[in-house]
Structure formats: structure tokens, C-alpha cells
């Protein structure tokens, strides 16, 4: 049975949020400081850690934002992203 792409994306951005939280704590940064360093608002960052853009709607951060967060955390982009990449296209 095929995996539901929406569910896969929800899982992926939730895992990204967990990793952002973990790396932020390791770096000793507040949400405010990390958000500021990445050029986004604290509220936007909080939503990314939750994996949501609005309650019940999975986050869809831009590549620029994820790259800025990785840079601010001092990690490579690939180390920030979850390993299990969801299948998003309908192509076989």
C-alpha cells in the first residue's frame, strides 16, 4: 500500500522540528536568538519547531529559511534534515 504523501510530509516536518529543537538546545540558544540569527520571527521559528504553519497544517519552510537556521546553528544543512525523505510526487 502506498504511503500518504501528506502524512509523510507531516512526519518529516515534525522530525525537522525535533531536530531544530535538539540542535538549538545543544547550542545554548533561545528560540528568540536563533530566530533573529536566521532572519525570522520567534513566532515563525516556534511554528517550525512544532512542525506546523497553523494548527493542523504542516509547516512548509522555504529552503532559504532552513539554510539560514543550519548556518545559525553551525551545522551542515544535511545534518539538520531528517534522513527519511518523504515521497512527494505522484510519479511512479
Amino acid at each position: 500500500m502506498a504511503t500518504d504523501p501528506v502524512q509523510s510530509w507531516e512526519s518529516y516536518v515534525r522530525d525537522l522540528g525535533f531536530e531544530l529543537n535538539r540542535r538549538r538546545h545543544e547550542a545554548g540558544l533561545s528560540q528568540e536568538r536563533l530566530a533573529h540569527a536566521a532572519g525570522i520571527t520567534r513566532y515563525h521559528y516556534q511554528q517550525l519547531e512544532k512542525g506546523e504553519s497553523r494548527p493542523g497544517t504542516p509547516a512548509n519552510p522555504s529552503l532559504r529559511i532552513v539554510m539560514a537556521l543550519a548556518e545559525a546553528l553551525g551545522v551542515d544543512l544535511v545534518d539538520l534534515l531528517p534522513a527519511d525523505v518523504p515521497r512527494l510526487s505522484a510519479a511512479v
Side-chain angles (χ1 to χ4, degrees), residues 23-44:
R23 298 284 182 149
R24 179 177 61 79
H25 282 283
E26 280 181 359
L29 296 171
S30 67
Q31 289 180 336
E32 182 77 31
R33 285 184 60 102
L34 179 54
H36 179 74
I40 61 175
T41 66
R42 180 182 54 83
Y43 178 76
H44 188 177

Side-chain angles (χ1 to χ4, degrees), residues 14-26:
R14 190 172 36 251
D15 290 348
L16 173 61
F18 290 142
E19 189 63 19
L20 284 169
N21 179 278
R22 186 180 77 76
R23 298 284 182 149
R24 179 177 61 79
H25 282 283
E26 280 181 359

Side-chain angles (χ1 to χ4, degrees), residues 18-79:
F18 290 142
E19 189 63 19
L20 284 169
N21 179 278
R22 186 180 77 76
R23 298 284 182 149
R24 179 177 61 79
H25 282 283
E26 280 181 359
L29 296 171
S30 67
Q31 289 180 336
E32 182 77 31
R33 285 184 60 102
L34 179 54
H36 179 74
I40 61 175
T41 66
R42 180 182 54 83
Y43 178 76
H44 188 177
Y45 179 77
Q46 286 175 324
Q47 296 308 102
L48 293 175
E49 271 198 12
K50 290 179 186 177
E52 296 181 335
S53 59
R54 295 187 306 268
T57 304
N60 191 14
S62 71
L63 179 58
R64 182 224 161 279
I65 289 173
V66 179
M67 289 175 71
L69 288 166
E71 182 179 308
L73 288 166
V75 300
D76 290 332
L77 179 62
V78 69
D79 295 330

Side-chain angles (χ1 to χ4, degrees), residues 5-6 12 15 18 22 28 51 59 83-84 89:
V6 174
Y12 188 77
D15 290 348
F18 290 142
R22 186 180 77 76
D84 293 330
S89 70

